[in-house]
Amino acid sequence: MTDVLLETRGLTKAFGAVRASDNVSLSLCAGEIHAIIGPNGAGKSTLIGQICGTLVPDSGSVHLAGVEVTARPPQARARLGLARTFQVSQLAMDDTVLQNAVLGALGASGSPWHFFRPALSDKTMRDTAEAALARVGLAEQASAVTAELSHGQRRLLEVAVALTLRPKVFVMDEPMAGLGTEGSASLTRLLDELRREAPILLVEHDMDAVFALADRISVLVYGQIIATGTVEEIRNNAAVREAYLGEAS
Ligand code: ADP
Ligand code: MG
């Protein structure tokens, strides 16, 4: 059987009369990139919020590596291996690139924040941080001040910070947003490799990136998944074309 690392079952969440999530069931399996696409207001952020623990569903459940986490706070899910990136940048702009990566490693170790300074000289954490920076191609920028990085490099650094947590699952909310062609291309290459370390649930508007990366695509419209399939299946799905892809072209 395929190894399911993240699963939602019948997630439903209403805001007043709006059903932002309407019985959403999906899975994320080892090794895959599962993209969630849909027009503005379809309920993508609401879904991500329930998966990551910032929103509590009205009904339904969320399962992470076999553990039900529906009622658990975001930090507890992070400790179980859920890495969320790109919602709001958590980077400390005045710190160096390496310091930011070490902060991530520190979070994973469970140490309190005020031990940060000693942590920079802690060899294990430094090694973990340096390995993560090398993984995303930022080894040479390790001692640069984070504010000096390009937008695209900061995205890569956010991935490096997430990597220091040794995640079981990545959840990424529009990682390509605001990146130029070059930035999108290097992030696309990185995500393509990262799926082997941990599968990625990818909410993304950049359809070039989605079609290049996704093993499966789920299309969300008015809070409901109207189709799940491979790139080819989704491209050729009449309902999807009408509800979403047609609108975009
Ligand atoms: P997407 O991320 O796909 O653009 P959202 O999940 O942000 O969609 O929103 C889905 C629907 O839920 C929209 O109709 C939106 O207006 C509504 N919604 C989202 N969050 C709230 C909220 N906190 N209060 C009221 N309505 C909300
Ligand atoms: Mg959104």
Side-chain angles (χ1 to χ4, degrees):
M1 214 191 101
T2 323
D3 201 2
V4 175
L5 289 178
L6 175 69
E7 191 181 7
T8 73
R9 295 183 196 156
L11 282 185
T12 298
K13 176 83 186 169
F15 296 109
V18 177
R19 275 199 169 207
S21 292
D22 191 352
N23 198 26
V24 176
S25 297
L26 60 80
S27 64
L28 180 69
C29 301
E32 79 168 338
I33 295 181
H34 187 160
I36 309 291
I37 64 171
N40 282 331
K44 302 181 296 295
S45 295
T46 302
L47 174 62
I48 296 288
Q50 292 167 96
I51 289 172
C52 296
T54 53
L55 280 175
V56 180
D58 299 334
S59 59
S61 59
V62 180
H63 306 258
L64 184 60
V67 179
E68 187 182 341
V69 296
T70 318
R72 298 199 195 184
Q75 308 86 295
R77 299 180 199 209
R79 280 196 296 275
L80 284 170
L82 183 75
R84 177 189 198 172
T85 61
F86 309 116
Q87 191 59 15
V88 178
S89 177
Q90 306 277 348
L91 299 176
M93 288 299 162
D94 296 335
D95 284 342
T96 66
V97 168
L98 180 62
Q99 282 170 323
N100 269 290
V102 167
L103 268 184
L106 188 62
S109 76
S111 308
W113 293 86
H114 61 266
F115 289 133
F116 172 55
R117 296 285 162 203
L120 247 194
S121 54
D122 180 306
K123 185 156 185 334
T124 312
M125 286 186 199
R126 211 183 151 109
D127 286 351
T128 302
E130 283 175 344
L133 290 178
R135 188 74 183 76
V136 305
L138 286 178
E140 283 173 19
Q141 283 76 26
S143 53
V145 174
T146 302
E148 290 167 2
L149 296 183
S150 71
H151 196 50
Q153 287 173 320
R154 278 181 219 161
R155 290 285 161 86
L156 297 174
L157 176 54
E158 286 168 14
V159 173
V161 171
L163 271 174
T164 64
L165 302 170
R166 303 190 197 290
K168 290 198 180 92
V169 165
F170 285 107
V171 175
M172 299 190 181
D173 200 357
E174 296 197 39
M176 307 293 168
L179 295 185
T181 319
E182 214 172 288
S184 302
S186 51
L187 189 55
T188 298
R189 274 195 302 277
L190 177 61
L191 299 193
D192 196 19
E193 296 169 8
L194 277 187
R195 84 178 93 198
R196 287 196 290 269
E197 280 155 58
I200 305 172
L201 189 72
L202 176 69
V203 170
E204 185 52 61
H205 275 298
D206 178 339
M207 295 308 290
D208 290 338
V210 167
F211 286 147
L213 286 170
D215 299 289
R216 286 192 294 161
I217 300 174
S218 287
V219 184
L220 201 59
V221 178
Y222 293 123
Q224 291 183 337
I225 292 181
I226 62 164
T228 295
T230 63
V231 170
E232 277 320 297
E233 286 164 352
I234 293 301
R235 272 187 201 270
N236 296 323
N237 182 301
V240 170
R241 296 178 77 96
E242 190 177 327
Y244 182 56
L245 295 177
E247 169 202 276
S249 61

